[in-house]
Amino acid sequence: SQTIHQWPATLVQPVGSPLSLECTVEGTSNPNLYWYRQAAGRGLQLLFYSVGIGQISSEVPQNLSASRPQDRQFILSSKKLLLSDSGFYLCAWGTQMVRTEAFFGQGTRLTVV
Amino acid sequence: GENVEQHPSTLSVQEGDSAVIKCTYSDSASNYFPWYKQELGKRPQLIIDIRSNVGEKKDQRIAVTLNKTAKHFSLHITETQPEDSAVYFCAALSGTASKLTFGTGTRLQVTL
């Protein structure tokens, strides 16, 4: 069966520090991968999605970046965090051949102080 | 790109009443429409979905309807219970861009 792992679950980082969140998927190949951000009490904002290794589509301009070094690994990064980067970050995967839901990781609650 | 609008943003109903949440989408190529329930501090979980070749789908107290011509779809919850209280998100999967776009969410409160 397929599983998705996202870590860490919580993170407190100072302004200006770097960020690296990792997400891996098991039990499937060539998934679509997504990074979403959810500000407190708000909706799910799509940040990046990827349909294959090295293929990244950015949805909103920001100081975040994403990479997909392996088929089932998706990384969200920042060189210098801003206060406005605080939020609940969710990684998700979906299949490409059959239209299905996105399966979400447990999320990372990031607080930039 | 796809734009999904969701209404209302908050909804309060009494236990046993019905709740309806509506969404519209802009991309006519979208062909898959899931609904998610998110409890406080947790990840969104799929509760029901519908594909573009179907007009209605029902699962116990939950139903979803889709009008492709008008590009809108709705979630219906009947006989609401306190445990239905959560934030509900609609979404649309673009047929061309392989990306899932979410609505802004509806906070449903079921009161006793």
Side-chain angles (χ1 to χ4, degrees):
Chain A
S1 63
Q2 301 91 350
T3 56
I4 179 169
H5 302 279
Q6 183 183 344
W7 65 93
T10 59
L11 191 59
V12 179
Q13 292 283 99
V15 169
S17 64
L19 173 73
S20 180
L21 302 181
E22 188 165 345
C23 173
T24 59
V25 181
E26 297 176 359
T28 187
S29 58
N30 199 28
N32 290 334
L33 294 172
Y34 307 87
W35 277 111
Y36 289 90
R37 177 171 62 199
Q38 187 174 35
R42 306 291 293 277
L44 291 158
Q45 180 186 34
L46 180 61
L47 301 176
F48 302 95
Y49 71 98
S50 171
V51 298
I53 296 174
Q55 300 179 59
I56 308 295
S57 296
S58 175
E59 288 297 294
V60 292
Q62 57 207 317
N63 72 323
L64 299 171
S65 62
S67 62
R68 186 170 176 174
Q70 300 180 46
D71 181 44
R72 288 168 291 176
Q73 183 185 29
F74 205 23
I75 298 172
L76 183 70
S77 304
S78 174
K79 293 182 179 178
K80 288 185 178 182
L81 284 169
L82 306 172
L83 287 174
S84 57
D85 291 325
S86 294
F88 191 42
Y89 288 82
L90 289 154
C91 177
W93 74 272
T95 58
Q96 291 204 24
M97 298 306 296
V98 179
R99 298 295 177 181
T100 66
E101 66 180 290
F103 299 88
F104 285 89
Q106 66 172 3
T108 297
R109 190 162 302 282
L110 171 67
T111 304
V112 182
V113 296
Chain B
E2 177 67 276
N3 181 45
V4 178
E5 295 190 356
Q6 182 173 347
H7 301 281
S9 57
T10 60
L11 180 59
S12 182
V13 299
Q14 284 195 325
E15 182 179 9
D17 288 349
S18 296
V20 180
I21 302 171
K22 299 181 179 181
C23 289
T24 61
Y25 61 99
S26 61
D27 186 355
S28 57
S30 291
N31 54 15
Y32 174 70
F33 307 91
W35 284 88
Y36 289 81
K37 176 182 180 182
Q38 186 179 28
E39 297 177 342
L40 191 63
K42 298 187 177 179
R43 75 187 87 180
Q45 300 270 18
L46 180 79
I47 54 172
I48 195 167
D49 57 11
I50 191 166
R51 299 185 187 277
S52 57
N53 59 347
V54 176
E56 184 174 359
K57 183 177 178 180
K58 189 173 181 180
D59 182 5
Q60 299 183 335
R61 297 186 297 109
I62 296 174
V64 58
T65 58
L66 171 66
N67 183 328
K68 281 208 70 178
T69 302
K71 289 191 278 189
H72 67 69
F73 56 113
S74 301
L75 177 71
H76 304 253
I77 306 174
T78 58
E79 300 173 23
T80 54
Q81 302 168 3
E83 52 265 37
D84 293 331
S85 297
V87 179
Y88 292 81
F89 292 97
C90 63
L93 183 63
S94 169
T96 55
S98 295
K99 66 175 183 178
L100 191 62
T101 303
F102 282 80
T104 50
T106 297
R107 184 172 301 278
L108 174 65
Q109 181 70 43
V110 180
T111 58
L112 297 174

